[in-house]
Amino acid sequence: MKSLSIFLAILAANIFCFAQNTPTAIIEDFIPSTCNQPGQEYPKVNSQGYARFRIIAPTADSVRVSLGLGGRGGTKLMQMPDTSWMGTTEGPMDEGFHYYNVRIDGGKFNDPGALNFYGSTRWESGIEIPAHDQDFYALKNVPHGMVQQVLFPSPSTATSRRAFVYTPPGYGKNPKTRYPVLYLQHGWGEDETAWSNQGHANLIMDNMIAEGKIKPFIIVMTYGMTNEVKFGGMRNFKIDAFQTVLTDELIPYIDANFQTVAKSAKRAMAGLSMGGMETHTITLNKPDIFSYYALLSGGVYSVEEISKSPSKPKLIFLSCGSKERPDGVKNAAIALKGAGINAVSYVSENTAHEFLTWRRSLRELAPLLFN
Amino acid sequence: MKSLSIFLAILAANIFCFAQNTPTAIIEDFIPSTCNQPGQEYPKVNSQGYARFRIIAPTADSVRVSLGLGGRGGTKLMQMPDTSWMGTTEGPMDEGFHYYNVRIDGGKFNDPGALNFYGSTRWESGIEIPAHDQDFYALKNVPHGMVQQVLFPSPSTATSRRAFVYTPPGYGKNPKTRYPVLYLQHGWGEDETAWSNQGHANLIMDNMIAEGKIKPFIIVMTYGMTNEVKFGGMRNFKIDAFQTVLTDELIPYIDANFQTVAKSAKRAMAGLSMGGMETHTITLNKPDIFSYYALLSGGVYSVEEISKSPSKPKLIFLSCGSKERPDGVKNAAIALKGAGINAVSYVSENTAHEFLTWRRSLRELAPLLFN
């Protein structure tokens, strides 16, 4: 491609963007998103949080990216003189990770420039708007734990099921050292890859351990939509199938195969969104298994629920983004504290129901666990 | 969608297929490919090896799948009465795994129905044509090893680099048990995910260990295109950058962090295609590090090369598909054997330069290692 056509394309993309808006000074410091496929220039992001897309489909009639201003159908791309399709989001996006897809002539595809992440029950494109606090989940030159894929037997579903297990740096060096375990669940439409891929849970842990902010523990992540084979939404969701896999199959497998402290006092469960709903139900159904409960954008516990439970949790952690319903989690934590329960709430500033909320929630939760 | 339109669509797809060909009796026993995304019906495959695709892009002008008969531009899809695009490969495909992509109005995209696999320096769609011998890489109810993601420090590239490590079932239970290690490389345009994702190396090992066909060993897989950041093809490839990462950084890291036998006599290197070329070069450059050498569709060793080397390999394994150049590997092995070197060749029947060749090659290689 000629550099003149690149210039024209960028110019045209900006004109398009200005045309939609009261003029905003878009700073031309766009760089490739950190979620791009190797060697790919687009999509790009700038320091203000704008995202710019470029899709090659010379004879397409229309190309639209699902990201942009909610409710307005995302960002419509415009065909450039070089036949590529380009466009910039109408406004800045929230910091952090976003799923998206590309509509081409009425079909839904992924952006060939971006890596794919499992969300909405499909592998979707992902983009990362640099966050001012992105350092806490950055890949740094510190000792790294490992993320292991395990295939555990599940008689109840007659399958071998997959889980990912984060073990902290130094794990296994001393066979006598045993670690607490956090069972950490994804949200609806995601799977057991979410917390490592888009959540960077392993890097958050590595960094906090290196800084001495937490004591090492194991994290186990598995698939939580056990009975949602047809992806029929949450309406008919029943907890039983997943609860059986988790409590009767996965936990015994982990305790038999990893250096865990196989006791309720050293076991936590947390989940985001639907995973929070699962955490809520399972911790109350099985009060002897977990001692630390955390719901990330996933509802609250009432005082009544906890009072009725035969076991008293050592911690209840409730969080969400400031663009969700922060008063709900704040008030629930206040009420629980008033009833003598160790409850903590956390609100992630300027984020919604997205992964930056949950990365930050894990960072806030981790130091409170297993003390 | 109405069932009538499904019927018409299938009928039309068949008419289209027959129209291109001398009529072939396509057996209508199509089932979803095992590489499909969860819940996705298409692409489908039948018992004869035909693949059938369905893409939603109502207002597209043309949709074409890169798979089909080589050199003829793949399979052109036809728009159905329900506006979806459908088509069936002109003939049966080779058994095993194939990468592909979808051309929509001149752009290259992935099939939203299929999972993605890293090949050709991008995440591509993948499809699996059921192989008559697929049982050896099937997920079975046997004890499973683990596949661990490690991030190892690499001063030479100033990065933390990723490797995947397969540890066999029972690994770690006895801290005194130590295992040999196979370093196993992907091909050009692939990465360290290839041997687990599309190669099923872990399942091949689990199954052979369960059947008592091999003694357990560790497999380490890392990224081999260290200096190919611009993906400029192989012309300017130099081995130095990768060789340094492998021999000076990764091997010491693995020996320090896993229960290995840290000796040349218990270390093997193998690679497919470009990874074979790397194996060839590095084993000759560093004769003290590996004792078992294997090139899978990746060239041969000459008697002269081995005779000049100060170390004598315990095994040279050369393989390829019968649709590649099998005489090359057969003759090279015969020549090496004639010179007193323990050389073995293997030819995968009815496969080309694709992953079924390499899955089978690993199955043939594994029992010969570390004896």
Side-chain angles (χ1 to χ4, degrees), chain A residues 34-306:
Chain A
T34 55
C35 291
N36 283 7
Q37 295 202 24
Q40 294 296 314
E41 192 182 358
Y42 285 90
K44 289 181 164 183
V45 294
N46 84 348
S47 58
Q48 299 162 293
Y50 285 83
R52 182 170 287 166
F53 303 90
R54 182 169 188 265
I55 300 289
I56 306 296
T59 61
D61 294 326
S62 81
V63 180
R64 184 183 279 280
V65 170
S66 64
L67 277 182
L69 298 183
R72 292 203 217 170
T75 301
K76 198 175 170 190
L77 307 196
M78 208 172 90
Q79 195 157 27
M80 300 291 108
D82 73 350
T83 77
S84 72
W85 293 80
M86 286 191 72
T88 304
T89 51
E90 194 177 322
M93 316 241 321
D94 284 351
E95 294 184 351
F97 175 84
H98 306 280
Y99 297 104
Y100 73 102
N101 55 64
V102 184
R103 284 260 171 200
I104 299 162
D105 286 355
K108 191 197 282 184
F109 299 93
N110 288 336
D111 184 340
L115 291 173
N116 302 318
F117 301 85
Y118 197 72
S120 314
T121 74
R122 61 185 294 273
W123 287 88
E124 290 230 301
S125 298
I127 192 169
E128 187 83 30
I129 305 297
H132 68 281
D133 58 348
Q134 62 186 333
D135 193 60
F136 80 88
Y137 53 84
L139 174 60
K140 296 186 201 175
N141 189 17
V142 298
H144 292 292
M146 298 178 188
V147 178
Q148 315 195 25
Q149 175 190 292
V150 303
L151 294 167
F152 63 97
S154 167
S156 73
T157 60
T159 56
S160 288
R161 302 187 73 80
R162 187 169 70 165
F164 289 99
V165 180
Y166 168 82
T167 56
Y171 174 89
K173 296 243 164 160
N174 181 342
K176 290 185 180 159
T177 307
R178 304 191 80 82
Y179 300 84
V181 185
L182 165 63
Y183 289 82
L184 184 60
Q185 288 303 125
H186 59 82
W188 184 88
E190 296 171 341
D191 71 5
E192 65 273 25
T193 62
W195 269 107
S196 311
N197 282 359
Q198 48 267 52
H200 299 314
N202 54 323
L203 301 179
I204 293 169
M205 292 291 291
D206 290 345
N207 291 338
M208 293 187 86
I209 292 167
E211 291 170 23
K213 288 181 177 168
I214 57 170
K215 273 176 273 179
F217 57 85
I218 291 168
I219 301 181
V220 177
M221 300 157 277
T222 197
Y223 185 58
M225 294 173 71
T226 311
N227 63 348
E228 285 291 287
V229 284
K230 288 187 180 161
F231 305 123
M234 293 299 299
R235 203 167 27 135
N236 301 315
F237 188 82
K238 290 195 177 55
I239 199 67
D240 311 68
F242 175 58
Q243 181 174 292
T244 300
V245 169
L246 179 68
T247 65
D248 298 356
E249 296 170 347
L250 180 56
I251 291 176
Y253 178 88
I254 295 295
D255 285 335
N257 288 281
F258 289 85
Q259 296 174 206
T260 65
V261 186
K263 289 178 186 166
S264 161
K266 295 294 178 189
R267 210 181 277 130
M269 184 170 181
L272 73 88
S273 193
M274 181 196 77
M277 189 205 75
E278 293 177 332
T279 300
H280 177 268
T281 308
I282 292 174
T283 51
L284 295 176
N285 281 353
K286 297 278 189 178
D288 297 337
I289 296 184
F290 303 99
S291 294
Y292 298 80
Y293 311 168
L295 312 183
L296 321 181
S297 307
V300 298
Y301 292 89
S302 69
V303 171
E304 193 191 357
E305 286 170 332
I306 299 300

Side-chain angles (χ1 to χ4, degrees), chain B residues 179-183 217-220 254-255 260 266-268 370:
Chain B
Y179 300 83
V181 185
L182 166 63
Y183 289 82
F217 57 85
I218 291 169
I219 301 180
V220 177
I254 295 294
D255 284 335
T260 66
K266 295 294 178 187
R267 210 182 276 129
F370 312 123

Side-chain angles (χ1 to χ4, degrees), chain B residues 223-257:
Chain B
Y223 185 59
M225 294 175 70
T226 311
N227 63 348
E228 285 291 287
V229 285
K230 288 184 181 165
F231 306 120
M234 293 300 300
R235 204 166 26 135
N236 301 314
F237 188 83
K238 289 196 175 55
I239 198 69
D240 310 68
F242 175 58
Q243 181 174 294
T244 300
V245 168
L246 179 69
T247 64
D248 298 358
E249 296 170 347
L250 179 56
I251 291 175
Y253 178 88
I254 295 294
D255 284 335
N257 288 279

Side-chain angles (χ1 to χ4, degrees), chain B residues 38-51:
Chain B
Q40 294 296 314
E41 192 181 357
Y42 285 88
K44 288 181 165 183
V45 294
N46 82 351
S47 58
Q48 298 162 294
Y50 285 84

